[in-house]
Amino acid sequence: MSASQPQAIHRKDYRQPDYWIREVALDFDLLPEATKVTARLSVEPNAAGTAGAALVLDGEDVKLLALKLDGQALSAADYTVEERSLSIEKPPATAFTLEIVTEIAPAKNTHLSGLYQSSGVYCTQCEAQGFRRITYFLDRPDVMAVYRVTVRADKKLCPVLLSNGNLEEQGDLDGGRHYAVWHDPFPKPSYLFALVAGDLACNEDSFTTQSGRKVTLRIFVEHGKEGRTGYAMDALKRSMRWDETRFGLEYDLDLFNIVAVSDFNMGAMENKSLNVFNDKYILADPETATDADYAGIETVVAHEYFHNWTGDRITCRDWFQLSLKEGLTVFRDQEFSSDMRSRPVKRIKDVRNLRARQFPEDAGPLAHPVRPDSYIAIDNFYTATVYEKGAEVIRMMHTRLGEAGFQKGMRLYVERHDGEAATCDDFAAAMADANNVDFAQFKLWYSQSGTPQLDLAGRYDAQVGAYELTVSQSCPPTPGQPDKAPMHIPFAIGLLDEQGRDIPLKLEGAVAAGASIVLPVTQAKQSFRFANVPQPKAVSLNRGFSAPVNVRMPQDGAERAFLIAHDSDPFARWEAGQQYATELLLQRVADIRAGKPADAPYDAAFIDAVRQILQDDGLEHAFVAEAIGLPDEDYIADRMEVVDVDAIHAARKALRRQIATALRADFERLYAANRDTGAYSPDAAPAGRRALKNSALGYLSALAEADAGLRGQIAAQYRAADNMTDRMVALRLLVDIAGPERQAALADFYDRFRDDALVLDKWLALQAISVLPDTLDRVKDLMAHPAFSMQKPNKVRALIGSFTANTLRYHAADGAGYAFHADRILELDPKNPQVAARMLALLGRWRRFDAGRQDKMKAELQRILAAPKLSRETYEIASKSLGS
Ligand code: TRP
Ligand code: ZN
């Protein structure tokens, strides 16, 4: 290892800073190429022992113009500037002020971290470490200060000047410029600082809090797009009300601003009272946004708003605690969406997402605990593990304590830590103390990585009428953690009788949740015995997905079909179908590899179970749509020792065809019955009907290659659609079928939406996920298309990101997909390392493939690592992916 290789930072090394910064006055003179930033910092030693210690400030890509201490200019001998820091060797031993003048170039900031320009609008992104790209600072979340911010800019180009908190003053300046002064009374870490300046349109509304304070709400967007902000505003108001009613948390300022920008590294950002969003999570109308887009907007608007308490009022002590705010806030946004929509369907979607994104992460070279122990670049740890598994950890606490107990814990957490930078341990302690429970073993969920596995065996003793369930837990080794201790796993189960009814269950020490019982699984192996019960006809496992684990229990098709037909727990009902299909598909993959035909008849009992679901009028439309959906190809791949992408694709395609053939009449009936959902509304009920209609059309499309009538039906839906959901689904189906319908629809879509960047992202993405064999060539062509740009993260994700998610084509045996991927990472890394590194992770799955693909994937990772001047972000992902 050469000395220049980036070094890791360790959680165990945390200590408080030597200095606090209590007040910050920032002064921005905005110019695209040379913005002058003056920062006046009130600094004080942390403790007697740190007085006079060297003050080391973080800084990156900033030019130091001037430096004064207590009004006196410092001479070159008094300080040292290095690539990533500014050190003052001998500061005074008492409180002092530091004035730092820096120069930055927002127009040249392609990292989209710090202060940058997006379509002419100045905006900031400071989480996690962007503030140091604006000025020198103690850029760490435990340093909390009160900010006063003066923004100066050209009045014509930037009529809108925003920062955190309240507007104190504004006025005109010479030379066509003007200014505004903002003051945020709440102390905050630097990562929550924000500034926006530009020419923006505004949708204004208001919200009256439960205590009667009127809050002005503003959503700023590009001119001409105000008409697409109504749903986001509605979601914001519902979020504010919900946080009051469910959590007792009220908004704390008189103004709440949201700004939507088109260049953004992530989804959105919770800066105090000035949230900045990727415009994809704000803009919607029926012609341009799908039902899924609307649901995404509702979730992200809520998520960022909820951070006001879980993130801003109570923030993180250090970045290892990231899940303190993110896991908890994801849990809160999931609960919000569940309360707004269908709870079972939301749970199913969240579990699908967890399995698609977090389980593979936890099983690969980048696996890390919910509270990581070390990092090289913190931006690499905004992961599915920290967010989604973190939310599952909070959910398990909720399951264990119940809603009332959980809310008691929340109140104690807020009472103890409001205004502070806290830790995951602090949160767990508040939950435990408020409820008098012991979380010692449970907290392993924060420190152990990997997805636990439960192996189950059931036995009925007819003589005494008792059922015994034996549970063994294990957790595979993960990087740095070869051996795991048994965890506390709250495992909800139910037993079904002959009629499919729940058998009432009692067990000492176990919480009953409705008809289910939550088993406290705590040992490597243990048995749970239920006395005085009839012989169960079926066992329902991990109800509601009470724990983020893999479950293995030998169950035959008949038992699974029985659960699909009768389980009172909707999640378990869906899951029985998924596991049934998974087993059939895995068996078929093995058969194909043994030379048998892909399209041999599948188990008729499974197809009957699907038929029953389709014919059950008592079920929610959206639930049926989920329940008839087969597990995706990646889920099957995750269950295989060595992935065979072609066999998986062939097996799944054959099953879809056979279901479509057998149930064609049902699909046609459902399509007709749900065809017209009336005037468009994004609400859960009509969206559910569209989901069911469109999954019926999806099955029918499995027969469309040989059926011009069906192709015509799909093309007709495309043309007649009065909303983007129906139009997109039809186009999605057509892009997989070579022929004139495909060409015509793609050309029409482009013509209709050629001026709408967000909609063209869909157009790029659909072409990149096509199963057609020439997809990579099309993607390469599209890179030269005016709709694409390597400078815009949304475009890069739409085209390149979607292609890498196209498992069948990305993993082409000749390695062309891998080489294309690596070329793009190398192209992107110098421009935007955060996005480059995030997009790289997929190559790290090489261990899961055959020797030929392994070699090709590893060679690409090595080629990336060999590049000169690789960013720390990409270096970390590439080196860990290779296992070095
Ligand atoms: N805190 C943001 C959220 O989850 C995440 C985020 C937004 C972010 N922008 C970022 C993280 C840039 C890292 C870098 O709501
Ligand atoms: Zn968040």
Side-chain angles (χ1 to χ4, degrees):
M1 278 226 172
S2 82
S4 67
Q5 250 155 13
Q7 296 299 303
I9 299 174
H10 297 272
R11 183 167 63 88
K12 63 172 169 34
D13 295 340
Y14 173 83
R15 55 180 195 91
Q16 284 197 351
D18 288 344
Y19 291 90
W20 300 114
I21 300 173
R22 302 295 192 190
E23 276 172 53
V24 178
L26 288 171
D27 200 301
F28 289 83
D29 231 318
L30 293 174
L31 284 172
E33 310 278 333
T35 286
K36 211 170 92 178
V37 185
T38 305
R40 264 173 231 95
L41 315 178
S42 317
V43 187
E44 62 183 55
N46 180 341
T50 67
L55 172 64
V56 184
L57 302 175
D58 306 295
E60 239 175 71
D61 287 351
V62 290
K63 189 161 130 198
L64 182 66
L65 297 183
L67 184 58
K68 284 185 195 163
L69 199 151
D70 285 335
Q72 298 291 310
L74 290 185
S75 75
D78 298 328
Y79 64 90
T80 318
V81 176
E82 280 172 300
E83 209 184 327
R84 303 180 63 216
S85 65
L86 163 64
S87 312
I88 298 170
E89 253 50 77
K90 293 194 171 57
T94 52
F96 57 94
T97 57
L98 202 60
E99 185 178 304
I100 307 168
V101 185
T102 50
E103 188 186 287
I104 51 181
K108 291 188 185 149
N109 181 355
T110 59
H111 289 214
L112 312 187
S113 165
L115 177 67
Y116 64 96
Q117 278 191 301
S118 171
S119 308
V121 177
Y122 293 91
C123 66
T124 55
Q125 173 53 43
C126 291
E127 189 175 6
Q129 298 179 332
F131 194 74
R132 64 185 64 184
R133 296 168 54 80
I134 295 172
T135 187
Y136 288 101
F137 201 73
L138 290 175
D139 192 11
R140 44 187 288 168
D142 54 354
V143 171
M144 298 170 75
V146 170
Y147 286 65
R148 178 171 272 107
V149 180
T150 304
V151 191
R152 283 182 215 114
D154 185 277
K155 194 172 178 177
K156 274 225 178 64
L157 297 173
C158 299
V160 175
L161 304 175
L162 304 172
S163 189
N164 315 86
N166 305 310
L167 179 63
E168 275 193 343
E169 200 189 318
Q170 59 184 329
D172 289 339
L173 298 165
D174 292 344
R177 291 174 77 79
H178 70 150
Y179 75 97
V181 181
W182 291 83
H183 176 249
D184 179 359
F186 293 97
K188 64 170 175 286
S190 49
Y191 82 88
L192 290 173
F193 162 78
L195 173 156
V196 170
D199 187 4
L200 295 160
C202 173
N203 172 6
E204 180 170 322
D205 206 327
S206 72
F207 175 84
T208 304
T209 68
Q210 62 186 7
S211 71
R213 201 156 27 77
K214 188 170 165 187
V215 182
T216 301
L217 310 176
R218 296 199 178 110
I219 300 182
F220 294 90
V221 292
E222 260 173 48
H223 284 287
K225 300 200 168 154
E226 313 81 293
R228 289 202 221 170
T229 58
Y231 187 75
M233 183 65 88
D234 177 58
L236 174 60
K237 290 191 280 183
R238 285 185 284 121
S239 306
M240 296 177 86
R241 189 62 75 213
W242 183 90
D243 215 12
E244 293 180 347
T245 52
R246 178 100 186 253
F247 278 77
L249 297 172
E250 183 176 328
Y251 188 61
D252 52 10
L253 282 163
D254 299 330
L255 178 62
F256 187 84
N257 285 321
I258 286 177
V259 178
V261 298
S262 56
D263 304 83
F264 201 74
N265 282 350
M266 304 274 278
M269 181 62 211
E270 71 263 24
N271 319 297
K272 182 79 187 186
S273 76
L274 178 51
N275 290 358
V276 177
F277 274 63
N278 185 329
D279 59 2
K280 152 186 172 69
Y281 290 111
I282 292 294
L283 301 174
D285 64 22
E287 282 71 45
T288 57
T290 63
D291 293 331
D293 292 331
Y294 278 94
I297 289 168
E298 181 177 65
T299 296
V300 178
V301 167
H303 179 98
E304 304 311 331
Y305 173 73
F306 297 155
H307 268 316
N308 187 56
W309 278 97
T310 51
D312 298 3
R313 288 284 289 253
I314 305 176
T315 191
C316 301
R317 185 191 74 175
D318 55 75
W319 291 118
F320 298 105
Q321 318 299 325
L322 182 56
S323 196
L324 172 71
K325 73 178 177 82
E326 295 304 347
L328 177 54
T329 305
V330 170
F331 171 76
R332 276 151 54 68
D333 82 53
Q334 289 177 345
E335 282 300 293
F336 169 71
S337 293
S338 302
D339 284 347
M340 295 294 126
R341 293 161 179 263
S342 159
R343 180 166 284 273
V345 172
K346 173 66 177 159
R347 188 67 187 136
I348 289 166
K349 286 184 196 281
D350 287 342
V351 173
R352 256 194 208 278
N353 178 50
L354 187 80
R355 282 179 173 161
R357 295 175 47 244
Q358 200 277 325
F359 279 26
E361 183 170 276
D362 234 352
L366 300 173
H368 54 276
V370 166
R371 181 188 54 206
D373 291 316
S374 74
Y375 60 77
I376 291 175
I378 185 59
D379 288 323
N380 286 333
F381 284 79
Y382 287 74
T383 59
T385 298
V386 167
Y387 276 65
E388 273 81 24
K389 187 178 183 181
E392 293 300 321
V393 173
I394 305 291
R395 185 172 297 282
M396 288 188 283
M397 292 183 186
H398 185 275
T399 300
R400 179 137 169 229
L401 304 174
E403 171 70 5
F406 185 83
Q407 292 299 347
K408 222 165 120 191
M410 278 298 295
R411 283 192 294 276
L412 185 59
Y413 172 62
V414 171
E415 191 184 303
R416 283 182 180 172
H417 300 291
D418 187 13
E420 292 181 4
T423 64
C424 297
D425 280 336
D426 291 332
F427 183 81
M431 282 289 154
D433 294 351
N435 291 282
N436 257 313
V437 300
D438 179 0
F439 272 164
Q441 187 186 13
F442 181 80
K443 276 168 48 182
L444 287 171
W445 282 104
Y446 282 109
S447 55
Q448 283 193 162
S449 54
T451 305
Q453 174 161 325
L454 294 187
D455 286 283
L456 305 172
R459 200 178 60 88
Y460 187 69
D461 185 340
Q463 301 245 285
V464 295
Y467 181 78
E468 191 172 86
L469 190 65
T470 301
V471 187
S472 309
Q473 64 163 302
S474 59
C475 185
T478 45
Q481 299 188 346
D483 302 303
K484 309 292 165 89
M487 320 251 278
H488 182 143
I489 298 171
F491 192 62
I493 65 148
L495 301 180
L496 275 60
D497 71 12
E498 290 286 335
Q499 277 74 46
R501 294 171 308 207
D502 282 306
I503 299 171
L505 298 178
K506 272 203 198 70
L507 194 78
E508 220 182 303
V511 188
S516 312
I517 194 157
V518 185
L519 304 179
V521 175
T522 55
Q523 298 161 26
K525 184 170 184 183
Q526 72 200 107
S527 292
F528 299 93
R529 193 180 161 86
F530 304 99
N532 302 318
V533 292
Q535 174 144 25
K537 173 104 178 186
V539 191
S540 169
L541 301 170
N542 208 13
R543 283 186 157 176
F545 202 68
S546 63
V549 299
N550 282 310
V551 178
R552 304 278 185 263
M553 182 169 187
Q555 287 183 311
D556 60 16
E559 184 170 358
R560 292 204 156 115
F562 192 77
L563 291 166
I564 296 174
H566 300 290
D567 202 322
S568 64
D569 182 78
F571 169 80
R573 201 168 176 186
W574 170 81
E575 175 74 335
Q578 297 294 298
Q579 295 314 319
Y580 198 162
T582 300
E583 247 155 58
L584 297 180
L585 290 167
L586 286 170
Q587 182 56 52
R588 181 57 48 91
V589 168
D591 291 348
I592 294 171
R593 291 176 61 81
K596 296 187 193 151
D599 56 0
Y602 273 97
D603 180 1
F606 176 74
I607 296 178
D608 273 341
V610 177
R611 187 197 319 270
Q612 277 201 32
I613 292 274
L614 289 177
Q615 296 182 350
D616 187 338
D617 293 332
L619 296 172
E620 281 186 89
H621 294 95
F623 177 82
V624 176
E626 291 293 335
I628 63 175
L630 298 179
D632 61 30
E633 294 177 16
D634 289 339
Y635 183 72
I636 304 302
D638 289 342
R639 293 280 300 265
M640 292 179 67
E641 203 69 50
V642 179
V643 177
D644 182 336
V645 294
D646 300 295
I648 293 172
H649 182 72
R652 193 171 178 281
K653 188 170 169 179
L655 181 53
R656 281 180 66 77
R657 274 207 182 131
Q658 289 181 26
I659 294 172
T661 305
L663 307 180
R664 181 165 180 163
D666 287 292
F667 289 127
E668 279 169 350
R669 174 179 57 79
L670 286 169
Y671 185 81
N674 295 292
R675 184 172 189 154
D676 183 8
T677 49
Y680 181 84
S681 149
D683 291 351
R689 291 184 61 197
R690 279 187 290 277
L692 180 53
K693 165 185 72 179
N694 286 322
S695 66
L697 188 65
Y699 271 106
L700 293 171
S701 82
L703 309 173
E705 254 161 60
D707 188 329
L710 283 174
R711 288 201 301 279
Q713 185 179 345
I714 301 168
Q717 170 163 321
Y718 171 84
R719 284 191 306 271
D722 67 353
N723 64 79
M724 183 54 94
T725 304
D726 288 344
R727 199 183 301 282
M728 264 282 275
V729 165
L731 189 59
R732 164 84 193 86
L733 298 174
L734 290 174
V735 296
D736 281 351
I737 308 169
E741 293 90 351
R742 177 186 203 272
Q743 288 322 318
L746 280 172
D748 176 86
F749 194 91
Y750 182 73
D751 284 342
R752 264 175 211 270
F753 300 111
R754 57 190 316 146
D755 299 320
D756 194 316
L758 279 178
V759 182
L760 291 184
D761 290 347
K762 300 181 193 304
W763 184 77
L764 294 169
L766 285 185
Q767 296 178 78
I769 58 173
S770 167
V771 300
L772 297 186
D774 65 346
T775 294
L776 178 55
D777 293 332
R778 293 285 74 74
V779 169
K780 287 179 177 167
D781 292 347
L782 284 168
M783 284 192 60
H785 195 282
F788 181 76
S789 161
M790 206 62 181
Q791 320 290 336
K792 297 196 163 269
N794 283 355
K795 305 269 160 213
V796 171
R797 284 184 284 252
L799 188 64
I800 319 294
S802 298
F803 175 71
T804 62
N806 182 344
T807 302
L808 182 67
R809 295 305 163 200
Y810 173 72
H811 289 285
D814 65 0
Y818 308 144
F820 171 77
H821 184 198
D823 284 343
R824 300 292 77 73
I825 299 297
L826 288 169
E827 190 181 342
L828 194 57
D829 188 58
K831 294 188 181 112
N832 190 330
Q834 278 182 26
V835 173
R838 289 186 79 78
M839 285 212 357
L840 171 57
L842 208 57
L843 272 175
R845 297 202 192 164
W846 57 269
R847 286 173 189 78
R848 313 273 305 107
F849 292 85
D850 54 82
R853 287 181 172 90
Q854 285 200 1
D855 289 346
K856 294 188 174 75
M857 293 174 87
K858 277 195 286 186
E860 297 303 340
L861 283 167
Q862 271 145 2
R863 181 159 71 93
I864 290 170
L865 268 182
K869 288 202 194 153
L870 201 63
S871 70
R872 300 145 51 78
E873 288 84 351
T874 298
Y875 169 80
E876 178 172 36
I877 303 288
S879 57
K880 289 182 175 173
S881 293
L882 276 169
S884 52

